[in-house]
């Protein structure tokens, strides 16, 4: 019986498939950590340099090279966003420090309302002792609170691991505090007030002329002309406001104030209570 030479050769099919998988992934290697890609690359180079005339008796050598390549691919670790923290909350912008592994081409910030992209030229980038990059970026911000999810782009690929950051609403310097002495709390519930008139103590600066509550499009305005108040020695003004709360259920009031030389504006504060009988 005559046996062909080809029949005596080892089978390279699986190894060739694994080599092709590496080559297809190579253009996106920036997505992976340097160490894990280096190990994958070493396994690839070993597979590529393997002799192509091994006999069937040497199939284990081919299988071993393929197993090393498959295992190295499975061990690939993606680069990621390690953390995102607010370093400074300004009047019109927020400074955010984002720590990332690897060398991303861009960062993407997203929430339900918008998506922002920061390229490397848009950030101040430094390298930490652990080799990670820190991106310092400036995010435009209004006076309202907000939050973003940060993802990193490595070429065109987006890393799966993200981080989030949030910032509080700016506190208006003219609006200091609000208290409802008669409100009471129960665990698991909002503060509760009884339906009808409730006294509120509101502290502002002394140049605040009017306070306005906005509920479901309606407004309730209290001015110094007819609302009791006391000007304190520290420059603050304590208002005593008797406000009628209703209807029964959850009630949300946005707070606006007005100085004599301004129109009404939101102070990024609100009242959220449950009104009960």
């Amino acid at each position: 019986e005559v046996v062909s030479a080809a029949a005596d050769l080892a089978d390279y099919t699986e190894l060739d498939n694994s080599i092709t998988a590496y080559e297809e992934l190579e253009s996106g290697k920036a997505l992976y950590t340097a160490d894990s890609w280096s190990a994958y690359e070493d396994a690839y180079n070993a597979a590529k340099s393997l002799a192509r005339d091994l006999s069937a008796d040497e199939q284990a050598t081919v299988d071993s090279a393929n197993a090393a390549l498959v295992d190295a691919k499975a061990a690939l670790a993606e680069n990621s966003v390690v953390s995102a923290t607010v370093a400074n909350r300004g009047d019109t912008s927020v400074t955010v420090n984002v720590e990332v592994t690897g060398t991303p081409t861009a960062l993407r910030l997203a929430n339900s309302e918008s998506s922002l992209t920061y390229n490397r030229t848009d950030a101040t980038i430094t390298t930490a002792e652990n080799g990670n990059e820190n991106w310092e970026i400036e995010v435009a911000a209004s006076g309202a609170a907000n939050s973003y999810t940060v993802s990193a782009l490595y070429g065109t690929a987006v890393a799966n691991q993200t981080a989030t950051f949030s910032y509080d609403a700016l506190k208006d310097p003219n609006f200091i505090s609000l208290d409802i002495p008669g409100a009471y709390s129960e665990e698991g519930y909002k503060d509760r007030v009884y339906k009808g008139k409730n006294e509120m103590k509101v502290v502002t600066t002394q140049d605040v002329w009017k306070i306005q509550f906005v509920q479901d499009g309606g407004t309730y305005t209290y001015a110094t002309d007819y609302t009791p108040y006391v000007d304190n020695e520290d420059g603050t003004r304590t208002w005593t406001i008797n406000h009628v709360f209703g209807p029964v259920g959850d009630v949300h009031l946005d707070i606006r104030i007005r100085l004599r030389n301004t129109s009404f504006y939101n102070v990024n504060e609100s009242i959220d209570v449950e009104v009960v009988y």
Side-chain angles (χ1 to χ4, degrees):
E1 181 181 356
V2 177
V3 180
S4 68
D8 291 332
L9 290 178
D11 185 355
Y12 289 81
T13 303
E14 293 300 322
L15 180 61
D16 287 340
N17 290 338
S18 296
I19 288 172
T20 299
Y22 173 95
E23 292 169 348
E24 290 176 344
L25 197 60
E26 189 173 18
S27 62
K29 66 181 182 181
L31 179 62
Y32 303 98
T33 63
D35 288 346
S36 68
W37 185 265
S38 178
Y40 190 29
E41 186 176 41
D42 288 345
Y44 168 79
N45 289 333
K48 287 287 286 185
S49 64
L50 189 67
R52 283 283 160 163
D53 57 356
L54 296 179
S55 69
D57 292 339
E58 298 172 291
Q59 182 67 47
T61 301
V62 178
D63 293 343
S64 178
N66 180 57
L69 192 52
V70 169
D71 290 347
K73 181 182 180 184
L76 284 174
E78 280 194 5
N79 282 308
S80 62
V81 180
V82 177
S83 63
T85 57
V86 174
N88 181 61
R89 172 57 155 117
D91 292 340
T92 59
S93 67
V94 173
T95 304
V96 181
N97 290 327
V98 181
E99 183 183 352
V100 295
T101 61
T103 308
T105 51
L107 298 181
R108 182 172 296 156
L109 279 58
N111 58 24
S112 60
E113 298 177 351
S114 63
S115 177
L116 307 171
T117 299
Y118 291 81
N119 297 311
R120 296 184 69 84
T121 54
D122 301 322
T124 300
I125 302 174
T126 56
T127 303
E129 291 184 359
N130 62 4
N132 291 348
E133 287 188 347
N134 183 76
W135 291 45
E136 182 180 286
I137 57 176
E138 292 291 325
V139 182
S142 67
N146 211 339
S147 63
Y148 287 93
T149 297
V150 185
S151 55
L153 284 74
Y154 296 84
T156 58
V158 181
N160 288 313
Q161 184 171 320
T162 61
T164 60
F165 70 89
S166 60
Y167 51 87
D168 295 330
L170 283 175
K171 187 170 180 62
D172 188 275
N174 297 298
F175 185 88
I176 299 170
S177 65
L178 182 147
D179 180 51
I180 308 174
Y184 65 98
S185 300
E186 291 185 18
E187 186 175 353
Y189 294 92
K190 294 180 179 178
D191 285 349
R192 291 176 168 181
V193 298
Y194 289 107
K195 185 175 183 294
K197 189 176 292 185
N198 285 262
E199 180 183 283
M200 290 190 284
K201 294 292 186 181
V202 182
V203 181
T204 67
T205 55
Q206 292 181 8
D207 49 357
V208 173
W209 177 32
K210 294 182 178 182
I211 298 174
Q212 188 175 79
F213 302 128
V214 182
Q215 178 182 348
D216 298 330
T219 58
Y220 306 86
T221 304
Y222 302 89
T224 54
D225 302 334
Y226 49 82
T227 304
Y229 68 89
V230 175
D231 282 340
N232 307 307
E233 292 183 359
D234 62 359
T236 61
R237 172 171 291 165
T238 302
W239 303 60
T240 301
I241 297 176
N242 288 297
H243 182 75
V244 176
F245 280 86
V248 170
D250 291 340
V251 168
H252 174 86
L253 302 175
D254 288 315
I255 304 172
R256 308 200 302 176
I257 62 174
R258 179 179 179 181
L259 285 58
R260 289 194 180 272
N261 62 344
T262 72
S263 57
F264 278 109
Y265 65 90
N266 289 320
V267 297
N268 296 315
E269 298 276 355
S270 62
I271 302 170
D272 286 282
V273 295
E274 181 183 357
V275 178
V276 298
Y277 283 115

